[in-house]
Amino acid sequence: MNKYLQIFKLSFQQEFAYRLNFIMWRVRNILQIILTFFLWSSVFKNPQTEVFGYNQEKILTYVFGILILRAIVFSARAVDVAGEISNGAISNFLLKPVSYFKYWATRDVASKVLNLSFSVIEITLLFLILKPNLFLQTNLVVLFAVFISLILAVVLFFCLLFITNMSAFWMPENGWAAQFLFIVIITDFLSGGVFPLDIMPLVLQKVLYSTPFPYLLFFPLQIYLGKIAGLEIIRGLITSFAWVFILLMILKFTWAKGLRRYSAEGR
Amino acid sequence: MKMERAIVVDRLVKNFEVTEKEKGLRGSIKSIFSPKKKTVHALRGISFTIQPGELVGFIGPNGAGKTTTLKTLSGLLYPTSGFVQVLEYDPWDKKSDFLKQISLVMGQKNQLWWDLPAIETFEFNREIYEIPKRDYEKNLEELITLLDVGNLLKTQVRRLSLGQRMRMELVAALLHKPKVLFLDEPTIGLDLIGQQKIREFIYEYNHKNNATIILTSHNMDDLINLARRVIVIGEGRILFDGALEELTGRFAKAKIIKVSFSKEVDIKTIEEIGTVKQVSFPEVTLSVPRSAVAVAAAEILQNFPVNDLTIEEVPVEEIIKKVFRGELTRHE
């Protein structure tokens, strides 16, 4: 497994080669969090106010939780796959005895480690400056469920991202736009990155819960906040797991089909 | 058991489906709603075999199918139909054991990590190809000495010149000592000294390691100096497969007569015998149809004051030039 350790090291170096990009990305994250923080603290001015089952403490934990979860789930390098397919750089990997999936999974892990460590620092700083009341989950069983749901979320997002990116096999020039729409807008919105999903009408929530999106951010956070328990957690984990399975199948299938279409242009 | 054939290609066909776009914004919008599909026949059924240790040159005009062939042989492209075998593997399976024995190097393209020094890519390849530390150090030392890049290992790749980068690419591609090497335009864009260095290196590598090499090039010197055997491809078909010297006999429809006259003669009368290529008295060079060469020579000897007369083949360079211009077609 030395191969992938080497990839891990190189990824780190690459991230640092684009220091400015990385810094801008972190700045964006901080600004987003400050924005949402002030929005929600003005809505919940009175600590006693409770809307849709959220009081000030829980909504603020939600906002901070999203920041950490985004760093874990959404920070992924596989956004570059579409580009590699359309400019032909993927050929370099197809020619080598290395798994392209494991390669990107490794780069993702490197990216997550880096982003997460920065997130922790940022959160500590924001915490000291804003001094919000945060909700601390202490039940170990719940925390374990959170952990499991997070691993599933990471795999889910990896699959979703990879499948979207592979559209470049068929539409080499549309890669970027499709990704932007899908990842930045739709996924973030549908997974609860913008606001808690349980403030939506019940029917919509039901529909959403049968898609993979809420399991990316919202579901793990709901478990942490203690808003769902017992059977609901189990049901969610099973649905999430089922989606992992389905998406892995689609991923494999699309990959096999895409490679046959691949024309190794450009390079 | 010793392998008899390093590469077997039998009736290989490769088609690409491309979407055509009309020019301008209107064309772009139109192509979203009713895309015009077109099939490009890149390879129309080619067959050849290559023995271990052979160095074969692929020549042909742009778009003839040379690169497509190399990409199919290295497992990047899925054949539309036909049979391909390299080192007894089906390249498409991309088995690790197969990939560890081949390498594809393409002229202007890079596998080196752009933002990092080349040594990082080498280290990366060492892990990927699982090269034992000792072999790696030995191979690296040998390659950087041969290619004279030892002092550039720690320079960021983006800061290297094209020639330096090409040599680094070769190092990266050969660290695992591939038995089969596909080189696509390895000397493109290099100055004469750079080209010479690469050529010498390819020759060395072929001889030292008994490696099988296929080389495509637009550079006549590459072919004349390196390849014993050439395969000429045009419009997805093989037009010629054989020794470089035979290429002339197959394709040159004319021969060259060089005459040295003892006295000044009237050029006009000579022009009736053949096409005058060059006049620098007392020497005149004529091009005469192959079938008429004996008659023409006799006629000159009889009717003119001749000092010396030789009959020669059209130079290989001329033929290759024609091949690249796509002027040569199959003649049965």
Short mmCIF file of all heavy atoms in Angstrom, two decimals, chain B residues 151-179:
data_model
loop_
_atom_site.label_atom_id
_atom_site.label_comp_id
_atom_site.label_asym_id
_atom_site.label_seq_id
_atom_site.Cartn_x
_atom_site.Cartn_y
_atom_site.Cartn_z
N ASN B 151 21.68 17.40 -13.18
CA ASN B 151 21.65 18.64 -12.41
C ASN B 151 20.28 19.32 -12.39
O ASN B 151 20.11 20.36 -11.80
CB ASN B 151 22.71 19.61 -12.97
CG ASN B 151 22.53 19.82 -14.45
OD1 ASN B 151 21.92 18.98 -15.14
ND2 ASN B 151 23.04 20.92 -14.96
N LEU B 152 19.29 18.71 -13.07
CA LEU B 152 17.98 19.36 -13.17
C LEU B 152 16.91 18.67 -12.35
O LEU B 152 15.74 19.08 -12.35
CB LEU B 152 17.53 19.38 -14.64
CG LEU B 152 18.43 20.14 -15.59
CD1 LEU B 152 18.05 19.84 -17.03
CD2 LEU B 152 18.33 21.63 -15.32
N LEU B 153 17.31 17.62 -11.62
CA LEU B 153 16.32 16.79 -10.93
C LEU B 153 15.45 17.58 -9.97
O LEU B 153 14.29 17.26 -9.74
CB LEU B 153 17.03 15.67 -10.17
CG LEU B 153 17.60 14.55 -11.03
CD1 LEU B 153 18.31 13.53 -10.17
CD2 LEU B 153 16.49 13.88 -11.84
N LYS B 154 16.04 18.64 -9.36
CA LYS B 154 15.30 19.33 -8.31
C LYS B 154 14.64 20.61 -8.81
O LYS B 154 14.12 21.39 -8.03
CB LYS B 154 16.22 19.61 -7.13
CG LYS B 154 16.53 18.31 -6.42
CD LYS B 154 17.36 18.47 -5.19
CE LYS B 154 17.56 17.10 -4.56
NZ LYS B 154 18.93 16.88 -4.12
N THR B 155 14.68 20.83 -10.14
CA THR B 155 14.04 22.02 -10.71
C THR B 155 12.57 21.71 -10.96
O THR B 155 12.23 20.66 -11.49
CB THR B 155 14.71 22.40 -12.04
OG1 THR B 155 16.12 22.39 -11.85
CG2 THR B 155 14.24 23.75 -12.53
N GLN B 156 11.72 22.67 -10.59
CA GLN B 156 10.29 22.53 -10.86
C GLN B 156 10.07 22.27 -12.36
O GLN B 156 10.67 22.96 -13.19
CB GLN B 156 9.60 23.84 -10.47
CG GLN B 156 8.31 23.65 -9.76
CD GLN B 156 7.62 24.97 -9.48
OE1 GLN B 156 8.05 26.02 -9.93
NE2 GLN B 156 6.55 24.90 -8.73
N VAL B 157 9.24 21.32 -12.69
CA VAL B 157 9.09 20.90 -14.09
C VAL B 157 8.70 22.07 -15.00
O VAL B 157 9.17 22.19 -16.12
CB VAL B 157 8.07 19.75 -14.19
CG1 VAL B 157 7.73 19.45 -15.64
CG2 VAL B 157 8.63 18.51 -13.53
N ARG B 158 7.84 22.95 -14.50
CA ARG B 158 7.39 24.07 -15.34
C ARG B 158 8.53 24.99 -15.76
O ARG B 158 8.41 25.76 -16.70
CB ARG B 158 6.28 24.87 -14.66
CG ARG B 158 6.70 25.45 -13.33
CD ARG B 158 5.75 26.53 -12.87
NE ARG B 158 4.50 26.04 -12.29
CZ ARG B 158 3.32 26.18 -12.86
NH1 ARG B 158 3.22 26.78 -14.01
NH2 ARG B 158 2.24 25.73 -12.27
N ARG B 159 9.64 24.93 -15.04
CA ARG B 159 10.77 25.79 -15.37
C ARG B 159 11.77 25.16 -16.33
O ARG B 159 12.75 25.78 -16.70
CB ARG B 159 11.51 26.20 -14.10
CG ARG B 159 10.67 27.10 -13.22
CD ARG B 159 11.43 27.54 -11.98
NE ARG B 159 10.48 27.88 -10.93
CZ ARG B 159 9.79 29.01 -10.89
NH1 ARG B 159 9.96 29.91 -11.82
NH2 ARG B 159 8.93 29.23 -9.91
N LEU B 160 11.53 23.90 -16.72
CA LEU B 160 12.45 23.24 -17.64
C LEU B 160 12.15 23.65 -19.08
O LEU B 160 11.02 23.99 -19.42
CB LEU B 160 12.31 21.72 -17.53
CG LEU B 160 12.66 21.08 -16.18
CD1 LEU B 160 12.33 19.60 -16.21
CD2 LEU B 160 14.12 21.30 -15.84
N SER B 161 13.21 23.61 -19.93
CA SER B 161 12.98 23.87 -21.35
C SER B 161 12.34 22.63 -21.96
O SER B 161 12.31 21.56 -21.35
CB SER B 161 14.30 24.16 -22.04
OG SER B 161 15.01 22.96 -22.23
N LEU B 162 11.81 22.79 -23.17
CA LEU B 162 11.12 21.68 -23.82
C LEU B 162 12.03 20.46 -23.94
O LEU B 162 11.63 19.34 -23.64
CB LEU B 162 10.63 22.12 -25.21
CG LEU B 162 9.83 21.07 -25.98
CD1 LEU B 162 8.54 20.75 -25.27
CD2 LEU B 162 9.56 21.55 -27.39
N GLY B 163 13.26 20.71 -24.36
CA GLY B 163 14.20 19.61 -24.55
C GLY B 163 14.53 18.91 -23.23
O GLY B 163 14.56 17.69 -23.16
N GLN B 164 14.74 19.71 -22.21
CA GLN B 164 15.03 19.14 -20.90
C GLN B 164 13.85 18.33 -20.39
O GLN B 164 14.00 17.25 -19.84
CB GLN B 164 15.34 20.26 -19.89
CG GLN B 164 16.64 20.99 -20.19
CD GLN B 164 16.75 22.29 -19.41
OE1 GLN B 164 15.75 22.84 -18.95
NE2 GLN B 164 17.96 22.79 -19.30
N ARG B 165 12.65 18.88 -20.63
CA ARG B 165 11.45 18.20 -20.15
C ARG B 165 11.26 16.87 -20.86
O ARG B 165 10.90 15.87 -20.25
CB ARG B 165 10.24 19.10 -20.36
CG ARG B 165 9.24 18.93 -19.26
CD ARG B 165 8.13 19.93 -19.39
NE ARG B 165 7.32 19.67 -20.55
CZ ARG B 165 6.76 20.61 -21.29
NH1 ARG B 165 6.94 21.86 -21.00
NH2 ARG B 165 6.03 20.28 -22.32
N MET B 166 11.51 16.89 -22.19
CA MET B 166 11.36 15.66 -22.96
C MET B 166 12.28 14.58 -22.42
O MET B 166 11.90 13.42 -22.31
CB MET B 166 11.68 15.95 -24.43
CG MET B 166 11.28 14.85 -25.37
SD MET B 166 9.53 14.52 -25.28
CE MET B 166 9.55 12.74 -25.25
N ARG B 167 13.50 14.97 -22.06
CA ARG B 167 14.44 13.99 -21.54
C ARG B 167 13.97 13.47 -20.18
O ARG B 167 14.08 12.29 -19.89
CB ARG B 167 15.84 14.59 -21.47
CG ARG B 167 16.52 14.56 -22.85
CD ARG B 167 17.88 15.17 -22.81
NE ARG B 167 17.82 16.62 -22.98
CZ ARG B 167 18.76 17.45 -22.55
NH1 ARG B 167 19.80 16.99 -21.90
NH2 ARG B 167 18.62 18.74 -22.76
N MET B 168 13.40 14.38 -19.38
CA MET B 168 12.85 13.96 -18.09
C MET B 168 11.68 13.00 -18.30
O MET B 168 11.51 12.03 -17.56
CB MET B 168 12.35 15.18 -17.30
CG MET B 168 13.45 16.05 -16.77
SD MET B 168 14.46 15.16 -15.57
CE MET B 168 15.44 16.52 -14.95
N GLU B 169 10.86 13.29 -19.31
CA GLU B 169 9.74 12.41 -19.62
C GLU B 169 10.25 11.01 -19.91
O GLU B 169 9.67 10.01 -19.48
CB GLU B 169 8.97 12.92 -20.85
CG GLU B 169 8.15 14.17 -20.61
CD GLU B 169 6.91 13.92 -19.78
OE1 GLU B 169 6.46 12.76 -19.70
OE2 GLU B 169 6.40 14.89 -19.20
N LEU B 170 11.34 10.95 -20.68
CA LEU B 170 11.90 9.64 -21.01
C LEU B 170 12.38 8.92 -19.75
O LEU B 170 12.14 7.72 -19.60
CB LEU B 170 13.05 9.79 -22.01
CG LEU B 170 12.63 9.89 -23.48
CD1 LEU B 170 13.82 10.18 -24.36
CD2 LEU B 170 11.96 8.59 -23.94
N VAL B 171 13.03 9.66 -18.87
CA VAL B 171 13.47 9.03 -17.62
C VAL B 171 12.27 8.45 -16.89
O VAL B 171 12.26 7.28 -16.51
CB VAL B 171 14.19 10.05 -16.71
CG1 VAL B 171 14.57 9.40 -15.38
CG2 VAL B 171 15.43 10.61 -17.38
N ALA B 172 11.22 9.28 -16.73
CA ALA B 172 10.03 8.84 -16.00
C ALA B 172 9.41 7.61 -16.65
O ALA B 172 8.91 6.71 -15.97
CB ALA B 172 9.01 9.97 -15.94
N ALA B 173 9.46 7.55 -17.98
CA ALA B 173 8.78 6.47 -18.71
C ALA B 173 9.60 5.19 -18.70
O ALA B 173 9.08 4.12 -19.00
CB ALA B 173 8.51 6.90 -20.14
N LEU B 174 10.90 5.31 -18.37
CA LEU B 174 11.76 4.13 -18.53
C LEU B 174 12.31 3.59 -17.21
O LEU B 174 13.03 2.60 -17.21
CB LEU B 174 12.92 4.47 -19.47
CG LEU B 174 12.48 4.83 -20.89
CD1 LEU B 174 13.65 5.28 -21.72
CD2 LEU B 174 11.79 3.64 -21.55
N LEU B 175 11.95 4.24 -16.10
CA LEU B 175 12.46 3.80 -14.81
C LEU B 175 12.15 2.34 -14.53
O LEU B 175 12.91 1.63 -13.89
CB LEU B 175 11.87 4.67 -13.69
CG LEU B 175 12.56 6.00 -13.46
CD1 LEU B 175 11.75 6.83 -12.47
CD2 LEU B 175 13.97 5.80 -12.93
N HIS B 176 11.00 1.89 -15.02
CA HIS B 176 10.60 0.51 -14.75
C HIS B 176 11.09 -0.44 -15.84
O HIS B 176 10.65 -1.57 -15.91
CB HIS B 176 9.09 0.41 -14.56
CG HIS B 176 8.29 0.84 -15.76
ND1 HIS B 176 8.21 2.15 -16.18
CD2 HIS B 176 7.53 0.12 -16.62
CE1 HIS B 176 7.43 2.20 -17.25
NE2 HIS B 176 7.02 1.00 -17.55
N LYS B 177 12.01 0.03 -16.70
CA LYS B 177 12.61 -0.80 -17.74
C LYS B 177 11.57 -1.55 -18.57
O LYS B 177 11.55 -2.79 -18.60
CB LYS B 177 13.57 -1.82 -17.10
CG LYS B 177 14.90 -1.24 -16.69
CD LYS B 177 15.97 -1.55 -17.72
CE LYS B 177 17.10 -0.57 -17.66
NZ LYS B 177 18.32 -1.05 -17.07
N PRO B 178 10.69 -0.83 -19.26
CA PRO B 178 9.66 -1.52 -20.04
C PRO B 178 10.27 -2.36 -21.16
O PRO B 178 11.27 -1.97 -21.75
CB PRO B 178 8.83 -0.37 -20.61
CG PRO B 178 9.72 0.81 -20.57
CD PRO B 178 10.60 0.62 -19.38
N LYS B 179 9.63 -3.49 -21.43
CA LYS B 179 10.09 -4.35 -22.52
C LYS B 179 9.56 -3.86 -23.85
O LYS B 179 10.11 -4.16 -24.90
CB LYS B 179 9.59 -5.78 -22.29
CG LYS B 179 10.28 -6.50 -21.16
CD LYS B 179 10.26 -8.00 -21.44
CE LYS B 179 10.78 -8.79 -20.27
NZ LYS B 179 9.69 -9.13 -19.32
#
